[in-house]
Amino acid sequence: MIRENLNKVEEKIAKICQKCGRKRSEITLIGVSKTQSIEIIKDALVAGLKDLGENKAHELKEKSELISGDFNWHFIGHLQTNKVKYIISHADYIHSVDSIKLADEINRKAEQIGKTQNVLLEIKTSSEATKHGLQTEKEILELSDYCFRSPNLKLVGLMTMAPYTDNFELIRKCFVRLRQTKEFLYESGFELKELSMGMTNDFEIAIEEGATMLRIGTAIFGERIKA
Ligand SMILES: *Cc1c(COP(=O)(O)O)cnc(C)c1O
């Protein structure tokens, strides 16, 4: 089942890339494996998935101790400062940096284990109260600058979540806003590569607007078992 789902997602990505003149190789497909079992995740890796995403610190830690191989772990959920220690030696990318306090803790824990941690800043591009992230240009500039000055952090990009809605114009606005934030940072002297945006419901729009990292759960793994 996973292989079929993955093939379908790949076909769709290829089609959209062709439509908007982008290369498939510019895009990293992250399979969001939260709540999924070790067996199912291993199937996905055998089927060719190279990137896995988790949104809970303990879950990423536990799973990464049970599954190893040639793939990357992405931490994509909201991260509390006191939980950095659980994921620091496991996460290849942390997508959800949204405060100086958190960036500082990640830098310190990364230094302790002699690692340079790839991070993305989470940007709040919608007005939904449940979404996290930085909002003002001032906050975004300050945190970018802080990351660039932290020797054990490598700031590689920006992440956002659009609202869950069938209002596609609203979703597109969020993704455009993220791309414009990357352009704003470039003009301010910070060159970032990655735009982490697009989930099962909206990844077509995300690719059209420049996504380089897609975070896709349901379309690959099926419906999640609700906790
Ligand atoms: C769960 C989750 C996803 C994937 O959601 P799907 O709709 O299942 O594709 C992507 N990003 C984040 C931050 C998530 O928590």
Side-chain angles (χ1 to χ4, degrees):
M1 186 190 76
I2 299 284
R3 189 179 292 269
E4 278 171 34
N5 290 351
L6 205 51
N7 286 344
K8 272 190 211 149
V9 170
E10 280 293 354
E11 270 171 34
K12 221 164 150 186
I13 294 173
K15 220 165 109 186
I16 308 159
C17 280
Q18 198 178 26
K19 198 177 85 183
C20 54
R22 296 192 57 194
K23 292 198 201 86
R24 170 66 184 87
S25 58
E26 301 168 5
I27 298 171
T28 302
L29 173 60
I30 303 168
V32 177
S33 53
K34 62 191 186 195
T35 78
Q36 305 295 342
S37 71
I38 301 294
E39 286 66 37
I40 289 177
I41 297 172
K42 283 183 177 166
D43 284 349
L45 294 171
V46 170
L49 200 61
K50 291 279 176 225
D51 293 84
L52 292 171
E54 290 284 341
N55 71 336
K56 298 224 160 62
H58 273 111
E59 199 171 335
L60 189 148
K61 177 178 166 28
E62 277 169 27
K63 286 176 174 171
S64 61
E65 284 165 354
L66 295 169
I67 312 169
S68 58
D70 182 23
F71 63 92
N72 298 308
W73 283 109
H74 298 255
F75 186 81
I76 61 174
H78 185 59
L79 184 57
Q80 287 169 281
T81 310
N82 63 353
K83 294 191 174 161
V84 170
K85 57 178 179 281
Y86 300 123
I87 64 164
I88 193 70
S89 54
H90 307 290
D92 297 288
Y93 294 84
I94 298 176
H95 288 233
S96 45
V97 177
D98 62 355
S99 71
I100 289 194
K101 188 171 164 235
L102 179 60
D104 183 54
E105 175 66 4
I106 296 171
N107 183 58
R108 283 196 301 138
K109 288 282 185 286
E111 186 189 358
Q112 282 171 16
I113 62 166
K115 174 187 191 186
T116 302
Q117 178 67 55
N118 293 314
V119 296
L120 293 83
L121 302 186
E122 182 166 358
I123 310 293
K124 185 163 154 40
T125 54
S126 73
S127 53
E128 273 198 323
T130 55
K131 299 283 186 281
H132 295 279
L134 303 164
Q135 283 179 286
T136 67
E137 287 189 344
K138 182 168 176 283
E139 283 176 322
I140 294 166
L141 264 184
E142 271 174 10
L143 192 48
S144 300
D145 190 51
Y146 192 85
C147 290
F148 270 95
R149 286 187 288 107
S150 301
N152 292 77
L153 298 182
K154 183 171 186 218
L155 179 59
V156 299
L158 305 175
M159 182 272 244
T160 201
M161 266 176 106
Y164 185 77
T165 170
D166 54 13
N167 180 344
F168 296 115
E169 281 318 301
L170 183 62
I171 293 172
R172 190 178 296 278
K173 264 189 202 150
C174 294
F175 295 158
V176 168
R177 211 166 274 163
L178 197 70
R179 192 186 64 220
Q180 287 173 341
T181 304
K182 180 176 151 179
E183 288 158 9
F184 160 72
L185 283 173
Y186 181 77
E187 284 157 15
S188 310
F190 301 107
E191 190 172 356
L192 310 181
K193 175 164 171 271
E194 310 290 355
L195 287 178
S196 167
M197 58 190 195
M199 309 173 25
T200 295
N201 188 48
D202 55 24
F203 72 87
E204 302 194 40
I205 306 171
I207 294 172
E208 288 170 3
E209 298 303 339
T212 63
M213 289 177 156
L214 307 174
R215 310 181 310 268
I216 301 183
T218 313
I220 295 174
F221 292 101
E223 289 295 329
R224 283 181 287 276
I225 306 116
K226 297 277 185 311

PDB file of all heavy atoms in Angstrom, residues 143-164:
ATOM      1  N   LEU A 143      16.079  36.989  14.434  1.00  0.00           N
ATOM      2  CA  LEU A 143      16.355  35.566  14.644  1.00  0.00           C
ATOM      3  C   LEU A 143      17.277  35.002  13.550  1.00  0.00           C
ATOM      4  O   LEU A 143      18.139  34.166  13.828  1.00  0.00           O
ATOM      5  CB  LEU A 143      15.039  34.765  14.746  1.00  0.00           C
ATOM      6  CG  LEU A 143      15.167  33.330  15.252  1.00  0.00           C
ATOM      7  CD1 LEU A 143      16.013  33.224  16.511  1.00  0.00           C
ATOM      8  CD2 LEU A 143      13.795  32.723  15.495  1.00  0.00           C
ATOM      9  N   SER A 144      17.115  35.500  12.329  1.00  0.00           N
ATOM     10  CA  SER A 144      18.026  35.071  11.257  1.00  0.00           C
ATOM     11  C   SER A 144      19.456  35.462  11.615  1.00  0.00           C
ATOM     12  O   SER A 144      20.393  34.660  11.502  1.00  0.00           O
ATOM     13  CB  SER A 144      17.662  35.737   9.929  1.00  0.00           C
ATOM     14  OG  SER A 144      16.363  35.395   9.556  1.00  0.00           O
ATOM     15  N   ASP A 145      19.608  36.684  12.053  1.00  0.00           N
ATOM     16  CA  ASP A 145      20.917  37.187  12.427  1.00  0.00           C
ATOM     17  C   ASP A 145      21.496  36.370  13.582  1.00  0.00           C
ATOM     18  O   ASP A 145      22.667  35.977  13.561  1.00  0.00           O
ATOM     19  CB  ASP A 145      20.773  38.663  12.823  1.00  0.00           C
ATOM     20  CG  ASP A 145      22.116  39.324  12.998  1.00  0.00           C
ATOM     21  OD1 ASP A 145      22.942  39.203  12.081  1.00  0.00           O
ATOM     22  OD2 ASP A 145      22.349  39.925  14.064  1.00  0.00           O
ATOM     23  N   TYR A 146      20.652  36.061  14.540  1.00  0.00           N
ATOM     24  CA  TYR A 146      21.092  35.268  15.694  1.00  0.00           C
ATOM     25  C   TYR A 146      21.591  33.893  15.242  1.00  0.00           C
ATOM     26  O   TYR A 146      22.644  33.414  15.683  1.00  0.00           O
ATOM     27  CB  TYR A 146      19.946  35.107  16.701  1.00  0.00           C
ATOM     28  CG  TYR A 146      20.405  34.552  18.022  1.00  0.00           C
ATOM     29  CD1 TYR A 146      20.914  35.388  19.008  1.00  0.00           C
ATOM     30  CD2 TYR A 146      20.375  33.177  18.272  1.00  0.00           C
ATOM     31  CE1 TYR A 146      21.373  34.885  20.215  1.00  0.00           C
ATOM     32  CE2 TYR A 146      20.829  32.660  19.467  1.00  0.00           C
ATOM     33  CZ  TYR A 146      21.322  33.515  20.434  1.00  0.00           C
ATOM     34  OH  TYR A 146      21.790  33.010  21.620  1.00  0.00           O
ATOM     35  N   CYS A 147      20.830  33.254  14.356  1.00  0.00           N
ATOM     36  CA  CYS A 147      21.227  31.930  13.858  1.00  0.00           C
ATOM     37  C   CYS A 147      22.546  32.008  13.102  1.00  0.00           C
ATOM     38  O   CYS A 147      23.418  31.162  13.272  1.00  0.00           O
ATOM     39  CB  CYS A 147      20.140  31.337  12.963  1.00  0.00           C
ATOM     40  SG  CYS A 147      18.655  30.860  13.862  1.00  0.00           S
ATOM     41  N   PHE A 148      22.703  33.036  12.252  1.00  0.00           N
ATOM     42  CA  PHE A 148      23.939  33.154  11.477  1.00  0.00           C
ATOM     43  C   PHE A 148      25.149  33.374  12.385  1.00  0.00           C
ATOM     44  O   PHE A 148      26.248  32.949  12.067  1.00  0.00           O
ATOM     45  CB  PHE A 148      23.832  34.272  10.427  1.00  0.00           C
ATOM     46  CG  PHE A 148      23.303  33.772   9.119  1.00  0.00           C
ATOM     47  CD1 PHE A 148      21.958  33.860   8.805  1.00  0.00           C
ATOM     48  CD2 PHE A 148      24.162  33.168   8.190  1.00  0.00           C
ATOM     49  CE1 PHE A 148      21.460  33.374   7.605  1.00  0.00           C
ATOM     50  CE2 PHE A 148      23.673  32.670   6.991  1.00  0.00           C
ATOM     51  CZ  PHE A 148      22.322  32.776   6.696  1.00  0.00           C
ATOM     52  N   ARG A 149      24.922  34.002  13.530  1.00  0.00           N
ATOM     53  CA  ARG A 149      26.035  34.251  14.448  1.00  0.00           C
ATOM     54  C   ARG A 149      26.282  33.094  15.415  1.00  0.00           C
ATOM     55  O   ARG A 149      27.243  33.124  16.177  1.00  0.00           O
ATOM     56  CB  ARG A 149      25.804  35.565  15.203  1.00  0.00           C
ATOM     57  CG  ARG A 149      26.051  36.792  14.303  1.00  0.00           C
ATOM     58  CD  ARG A 149      26.009  38.101  15.051  1.00  0.00           C
ATOM     59  NE  ARG A 149      24.652  38.477  15.456  1.00  0.00           N
ATOM     60  CZ  ARG A 149      24.200  38.432  16.702  1.00  0.00           C
ATOM     61  NH1 ARG A 149      24.974  38.036  17.691  1.00  0.00           N
ATOM     62  NH2 ARG A 149      22.955  38.769  16.977  1.00  0.00           N
ATOM     63  N   SER A 150      25.388  32.068  15.405  1.00  0.00           N
ATOM     64  CA  SER A 150      25.564  30.915  16.303  1.00  0.00           C
ATOM     65  C   SER A 150      26.373  29.844  15.581  1.00  0.00           C
ATOM     66  O   SER A 150      25.933  29.310  14.570  1.00  0.00           O
ATOM     67  CB  SER A 150      24.195  30.346  16.698  1.00  0.00           C
ATOM     68  OG  SER A 150      23.432  31.339  17.336  1.00  0.00           O
ATOM     69  N   PRO A 151      27.570  29.531  16.101  1.00  0.00           N
ATOM     70  CA  PRO A 151      28.480  28.658  15.354  1.00  0.00           C
ATOM     71  C   PRO A 151      27.959  27.238  15.124  1.00  0.00           C
ATOM     72  O   PRO A 151      28.381  26.591  14.179  1.00  0.00           O
ATOM     73  CB  PRO A 151      29.751  28.642  16.221  1.00  0.00           C
ATOM     74  CG  PRO A 151      29.361  29.200  17.540  1.00  0.00           C
ATOM     75  CD  PRO A 151      28.186  30.080  17.319  1.00  0.00           C
ATOM     76  N   ASN A 152      27.045  26.765  15.965  1.00  0.00           N
ATOM     77  CA  ASN A 152      26.564  25.399  15.804  1.00  0.00           C
ATOM     78  C   ASN A 152      25.173  25.317  15.170  1.00  0.00           C
ATOM     79  O   ASN A 152      24.505  24.282  15.238  1.00  0.00           O
ATOM     80  CB  ASN A 152      26.608  24.646  17.137  1.00  0.00           C
ATOM     81  CG  ASN A 152      28.047  24.425  17.580  1.00  0.00           C
ATOM     82  OD1 ASN A 152      28.694  25.343  18.080  1.00  0.00           O
ATOM     83  ND2 ASN A 152      28.573  23.247  17.320  1.00  0.00           N
ATOM     84  N   LEU A 153      24.732  26.423  14.584  1.00  0.00           N
ATOM     85  CA  LEU A 153      23.474  26.414  13.841  1.00  0.00           C
ATOM     86  C   LEU A 153      23.767  26.719  12.381  1.00  0.00           C
ATOM     87  O   LEU A 153      24.601  27.566  12.063  1.00  0.00           O
ATOM     88  CB  LEU A 153      22.498  27.481  14.364  1.00  0.00           C
ATOM     89  CG  LEU A 153      22.010  27.367  15.800  1.00  0.00           C
ATOM     90  CD1 LEU A 153      21.022  28.491  16.105  1.00  0.00           C
ATOM     91  CD2 LEU A 153      21.372  26.006  16.067  1.00  0.00           C
ATOM     92  N   LYS A 154      23.048  26.018  11.494  1.00  0.00           N
ATOM     93  CA  LYS A 154      23.098  26.377  10.083  1.00  0.00           C
ATOM     94  C   LYS A 154      21.664  26.678   9.639  1.00  0.00           C
ATOM     95  O   LYS A 154      20.829  25.763   9.554  1.00  0.00           O
ATOM     96  CB  LYS A 154      23.690  25.225   9.269  1.00  0.00           C
ATOM     97  CG  LYS A 154      23.829  25.599   7.807  1.00  0.00           C
ATOM     98  CD  LYS A 154      24.602  24.572   7.016  1.00  0.00           C
ATOM     99  CE  LYS A 154      24.816  25.103   5.605  1.00  0.00           C
ATOM    100  NZ  LYS A 154      24.698  24.050   4.620  1.00  0.00           N
ATOM    101  N   LEU A 155      21.393  27.939   9.409  1.00  0.00           N
ATOM    102  CA  LEU A 155      20.047  28.334   8.992  1.00  0.00           C
ATOM    103  C   LEU A 155      19.899  28.048   7.498  1.00  0.00           C
ATOM    104  O   LEU A 155      20.575  28.657   6.679  1.00  0.00           O
ATOM    105  CB  LEU A 155      19.820  29.825   9.281  1.00  0.00           C
ATOM    106  CG  LEU A 155      18.461  30.389   8.878  1.00  0.00           C
ATOM    107  CD1 LEU A 155      17.324  29.659   9.591  1.00  0.00           C
ATOM    108  CD2 LEU A 155      18.385  31.882   9.167  1.00  0.00           C
ATOM    109  N   VAL A 156      19.003  27.111   7.169  1.00  0.00           N
ATOM    110  CA  VAL A 156      18.883  26.704   5.760  1.00  0.00           C
ATOM    111  C   VAL A 156      17.583  27.140   5.095  1.00  0.00           C
ATOM    112  O   VAL A 156      17.462  27.066   3.876  1.00  0.00           O
ATOM    113  CB  VAL A 156      19.052  25.168   5.583  1.00  0.00           C
ATOM    114  CG1 VAL A 156      20.431  24.718   6.053  1.00  0.00           C
ATOM    115  CG2 VAL A 156      17.950  24.395   6.299  1.00  0.00           C
ATOM    116  N   GLY A 157      16.594  27.567   5.899  1.00  0.00           N
ATOM    117  CA  GLY A 157      15.342  27.921   5.234  1.00  0.00           C
ATOM    118  C   GLY A 157      14.225  28.348   6.165  1.00  0.00           C
ATOM    119  O   GLY A 157      14.446  28.631   7.346  1.00  0.00           O
ATOM    120  N   LEU A 158      13.033  28.400   5.584  1.00  0.00           N
ATOM    121  CA  LEU A 158      11.827  28.845   6.285  1.00  0.00           C
ATOM    122  C   LEU A 158      10.743  27.784   6.162  1.00  0.00           C
ATOM    123  O   LEU A 158      10.665  27.072   5.156  1.00  0.00           O
ATOM    124  CB  LEU A 158      11.307  30.146   5.660  1.00  0.00           C
ATOM    125  CG  LEU A 158      12.287  31.311   5.565  1.00  0.00           C
ATOM    126  CD1 LEU A 158      11.637  32.472   4.795  1.00  0.00           C
ATOM    127  CD2 LEU A 158      12.703  31.783   6.955  1.00  0.00           C
ATOM    128  N   MET A 159       9.897  27.700   7.179  1.00  0.00           N
ATOM    129  CA  MET A 159       8.792  26.731   7.172  1.00  0.00           C
ATOM    130  C   MET A 159       7.482  27.424   7.517  1.00  0.00           C
ATOM    131  O   MET A 159       7.471  28.375   8.295  1.00  0.00           O
ATOM    132  CB  MET A 159       9.090  25.650   8.206  1.00  0.00           C
ATOM    133  CG  MET A 159       8.072  24.538   8.284  1.00  0.00           C
ATOM    134  SD  MET A 159       6.700  24.833   9.401  1.00  0.00           S
ATOM    135  CE  MET A 159       6.972  23.544  10.593  1.00  0.00           C
ATOM    136  N   THR A 160       6.393  26.969   6.890  1.00  0.00           N
ATOM    137  CA  THR A 160       5.083  27.448   7.316  1.00  0.00           C
ATOM    138  C   THR A 160       4.035  26.371   7.140  1.00  0.00           C
ATOM    139  O   THR A 160       4.232  25.382   6.423  1.00  0.00           O
ATOM    140  CB  THR A 160       4.659  28.725   6.556  1.00  0.00           C
ATOM    141  OG1 THR A 160       3.646  29.409   7.333  1.00  0.00           O
ATOM    142  CG2 THR A 160       4.077  28.423   5.174  1.00  0.00           C
ATOM    143  N   MET A 161       2.925  26.567   7.849  1.00  0.00           N
ATOM    144  CA  MET A 161       1.746  25.720   7.696  1.00  0.00           C
ATOM    145  C   MET A 161       0.589  26.607   7.275  1.00  0.00           C
ATOM    146  O   MET A 161       0.306  27.601   7.938  1.00  0.00           O
ATOM    147  CB  MET A 161       1.375  25.086   9.045  1.00  0.00           C
ATOM    148  CG  MET A 161       1.968  23.715   9.271  1.00  0.00           C
ATOM    149  SD  MET A 161       1.551  23.152  10.927  1.00  0.00           S
ATOM    150  CE  MET A 161       0.320  21.929  10.542  1.00  0.00           C
ATOM    151  N   ALA A 162      -0.062  26.233   6.180  1.00  0.00           N
ATOM    152  CA  ALA A 162      -1.270  26.965   5.778  1.00  0.00           C
ATOM    153  C   ALA A 162      -2.453  26.420   6.576  1.00  0.00           C
ATOM    154  O   ALA A 162      -2.384  25.314   7.102  1.00  0.00           O
ATOM    155  CB  ALA A 162      -1.499  26.775   4.276  1.00  0.00           C
ATOM    156  N   PRO A 163      -3.538  27.163   6.669  1.00  0.00           N
ATOM    157  CA  PRO A 163      -4.713  26.635   7.369  1.00  0.00           C
ATOM    158  C   PRO A 163      -5.276  25.417   6.624  1.00  0.00           C
ATOM    159  O   PRO A 163      -5.076  25.295   5.417  1.00  0.00           O
ATOM    160  CB  PRO A 163      -5.732  27.779   7.324  1.00  0.00           C
ATOM    161  CG  PRO A 163      -5.047  28.942   6.760  1.00  0.00           C
ATOM    162  CD  PRO A 163      -3.774  28.506   6.119  1.00  0.00           C
ATOM    163  N   TYR A 164      -5.952  24.542   7.370  1.00  0.00           N
ATOM    164  CA  TYR A 164      -6.609  23.409   6.734  1.00  0.00           C
ATOM    165  C   TYR A 164      -7.969  23.885   6.222  1.00  0.00           C
ATOM    166  O   TYR A 164      -8.899  24.107   6.983  1.00  0.00           O
ATOM    167  CB  TYR A 164      -6.782  22.257   7.724  1.00  0.00           C
ATOM    168  CG  TYR A 164      -7.346  21.016   7.067  1.00  0.00           C
ATOM    169  CD1 TYR A 164      -6.533  20.205   6.281  1.00  0.00           C
ATOM    170  CD2 TYR A 164      -8.687  20.676   7.208  1.00  0.00           C
ATOM    171  CE1 TYR A 164      -7.042  19.088   5.646  1.00  0.00           C
ATOM    172  CE2 TYR A 164      -9.210  19.552   6.579  1.00  0.00           C
ATOM    173  CZ  TYR A 164      -8.379  18.769   5.804  1.00  0.00           C
ATOM    174  OH  TYR A 164      -8.881  17.660   5.169  1.00  0.00           O
TER     175      TYR A 164
END
